[in-house]
Amino acid sequence: MLKSVKARKRRDKIFVWLCRGVTLMALFVLALLLFHLIREGAHWLSLDFLNQFPSRFPSKAGIKSALFGTLWLSLLTAIFSFPIGIASALYLEEYAPKNRLFSLIEMNISNLAGMPSIVYGLLGLTVFVRFFGLEQSLWSGSLTMSLLIMPTIIIASKEAIRAVPDSLRLAAFALGAKPWQVIVGQVLPAALPGILTGFILSMSRAVGESAPLIMIGALSYVAFLPQSPSDPFTVLPVQIFGWASRPNEEFHGLAGAAILVLLAVLFLMNLGAVIVRQRFQRYRL
Amino acid sequence: MNNLWHQKVTQVRSQIESYRRDLLNWIIEGGFRLFLMMALSITLVTTATVIVLLVRESLPFFQQIPLKDFLFGTQWEPLIEPKSFGVLPLVSGTMMIVAGAMLLAVPSGIMIATYLNEFASSKLRALIKPILEILAGIPTVVYGYFALTFVTPVLKEILPDIQVFNALSAAIVVGIMILPMVASLTDDAFRAVPNSLREGAYAVGATPFEVITDIVIPASRSRIGAAVILGVSRAIGETMAVTLAAGATPKWTFNPLESIQTMTAYIVQVSLGDTPAGGIEYQTCFVVALLLFAITMVMNFAGNMLTYFDRKVG
Amino acid sequence: MTMMNVDLQSAPPVLEARDLSVYYGKTCAVNSVSLNVGRNQVTAIIGPSGCGKSTFLRTLNRMNDFNPSVRTEGEVFCRGKNIYASGIDATEIRRSIGMVFQKPNPFPKSIAKNILWGLKINGMLNGNGDEVVERSLKQAGLWDEVKDRLNDSALNLSGGQQQRLCIARAIAMSPSVVLMDEPCSALDPRSTARIEDLINELATQYTIVIVTHNMQQAARVSKETAFFYEGKLVEFGSTQAIFTKPKNKKTEEYITGRMG
């Protein structure tokens, strides 16, 4: 007996529609999320909102200190993590022999990339805040964040470096260049757009992260702007957490508005990454 | 004579110059390598520090509380007298989040990967993939907010018994959060299945459904397994969404409509309060973090190994 | 399946392409080819690479359907039925036209399951299938090598064994035609020789169309040969005639090795 092709085709059609439906559903959830945020938060958005400090009174509250904190924190985090992340990736791709020790190191990096962010928070709390006595400052925050995004930066940079064709290296070596000259003069410039793309995406993770900063003691009520890296601070996600965990509906509205600002910042960063990728990236894996 | 002498001097000079340049190059090369190596060593130092730190702070705790009471106790009340330190309530809370999130993320992740890989045109795929990745890029605190202010109220309409803080709502948003990761790892797995295998199956008269369920999925099962493991690990470590939406009441329960507390949310709760360093309350933070770290590291290791070896075998 | 009562000498073609053209976007890969494939014999398709011979073969069981940029015009009749007629299902077509690919592509399943899978999904399996497995493997000349490990993974077989398994998988469906797309191109000379012997044996019971870039192979296994050049069928006739007295100048150039 032949199985009816018709019945099998019907099952197939149902399956295709199911897969399509689930995919559409995921897109729909994203739309729903954005729609909900706009409905909750949009009417709180104003220039004053960007320009006021947090307050007990919802109508007077703003995200000035959080915006500046986020800016400070990203800047410092970038300064720490960018060179070190690239350097690690360069060593792994250009110098490291293919042996057990280095596959262990690479495995360790992948595992670190998946370590819960809250564990980084405890690390920062014990090492930077307490042991080095950096207190609840931007130093502590940015160093913790640097450790958090380092594995992602290394992994992305490694891929960008690996995409640089060997012919380029051989050509440079054939001109009598030393390894460091090949790397600094040829490999790094060729891989830089790819590295930058990965770096911006890692940074956007740092901008959205809040758990480790709460651990090290970033506050959700900061009524001043940090003047130096040793000042206490708050950032947008922590401010959002502070407002969202209050029972008051109006503070939920403020949280929604702050989320819209945060998402706008992240969107701009991602746009930057896409532009770098499209305009400058020559080599891709 | 003078001319010869001059020639000699120039020769020696250029010799010295060349040695100097070699030496300089050698120093730069060495210094450069050293710098890169030191940068790389930071990752190792990080791991080592985390392990030492968690273990060191946990040891005094286990001198007071027997390991057995910690691992199998069903009461977690380290902050209020009479104190009890059984971690199972935090574990059950975490597991409920994980189970709910995976129930949502794994089947839909596989179906999305199937759709993108086997059914959607390449244009549609190029359009949908980045949009899905937006879901992965949204900060977790935003998901927490979404759970609290949207998902829970909607659930309340359907299930009037549900509490303001509940495991279900948090599990749903954690599932949404992990979905893109599962979908994209599964997508990679499907792409690694050679097309010749699909053609072979179609050539004996199979339909797409049969090809996917009987050939493509079994052929990529170890990578799908890795995606699931890494997803579970992410869900266990997820913090902000569960802190905001799932509550702060550790309970040995499997009712998703109740307020619970996860391991991560407990750590946040302690750090938000004014717990003095050194006391047993402070140590519980590290003990729970050690458990969290151990579980996630084992899972990450397993997941990465699965992908790694699968890639090697081809 | 009913046997058609026909005189074998002038057997009506099992497979008949009429005015078949295939386009990749705007480029024409196969240009109005008409070709008859005779019953229970091997028909070889030869030609330089890029001449459209593989594309043509893949139109015969509608494998090109999966590539959205491919457009097919014309008709292909399989035992009197146009497989490109509207309402005809490609899945049904492939059930009766088997295919063997360039590279062996066994499913990542056991040897026995590889053979039974097509029958199972199509509901053509009666009983537990041991008999089909044994018969197919015997016909494919693989039985003695694998009879003790039918439940082992097919991926543990050697390349040549895998390709014979793929042939066994195709003939297990009792197809009207077996299409072979350069089945030996990924194999070493010894495995190639085994497969060629096998093709010769199978020709007594099966209709086979084989695409090959190896002229000697065409000469060794086929009864009729078609020479393709730049998407066109240049010459078609008995293999002996093609190789000894080619009518067309292009064919002659190719046969004598003056063309790549």
Side-chain angles (χ1 to χ4, degrees), chain B residues 156-210:
Chain B
K156 184 112 192 147
E157 299 286 316
I158 310 162
L159 306 157
D161 292 342
I162 204 164
Q163 298 181 358
V164 175
F165 299 104
N166 61 82
L168 182 59
S169 163
I172 289 173
V173 293
V174 172
I176 296 171
M177 200 183 308
I178 291 170
L179 176 62
M181 187 178 105
V182 176
S184 125
L185 287 175
T186 309
D187 184 51
D188 290 347
F190 284 178
R191 296 196 118 192
V193 174
N195 248 330
S196 65
L197 222 52
R198 293 187 182 83
E199 290 191 335
Y202 282 121
V204 290
T207 65
F209 177 78
E210 289 148 357

Side-chain angles (χ1 to χ4, degrees), chain C residues 50-62:
Chain C
C51 68
K53 56 189 192 298
S54 276
T55 305
F56 173 74
L57 189 77
R58 294 165 71 91
T59 58
L60 299 181
N61 66 341
R62 290 186 53 177

Side-chain angles (χ1 to χ4, degrees), chain B residues 119-169:
Chain B
F119 300 132
S121 67
S122 53
K123 261 188 200 161
L124 204 58
R125 179 192 159 86
L127 183 76
I128 293 175
K129 259 206 120 174
I131 299 180
L132 282 177
E133 261 146 37
I134 295 178
L135 274 178
I138 291 176
T140 65
V141 69
V142 178
Y143 282 106
Y145 176 84
F146 187 58
L148 195 64
T149 61
F150 183 81
V151 179
T152 300
V154 168
L155 288 175
K156 184 112 192 147
E157 299 286 316
I158 310 162
L159 306 157
D161 292 342
I162 204 164
Q163 298 181 358
V164 175
F165 299 104
N166 61 82
L168 182 59
S169 163

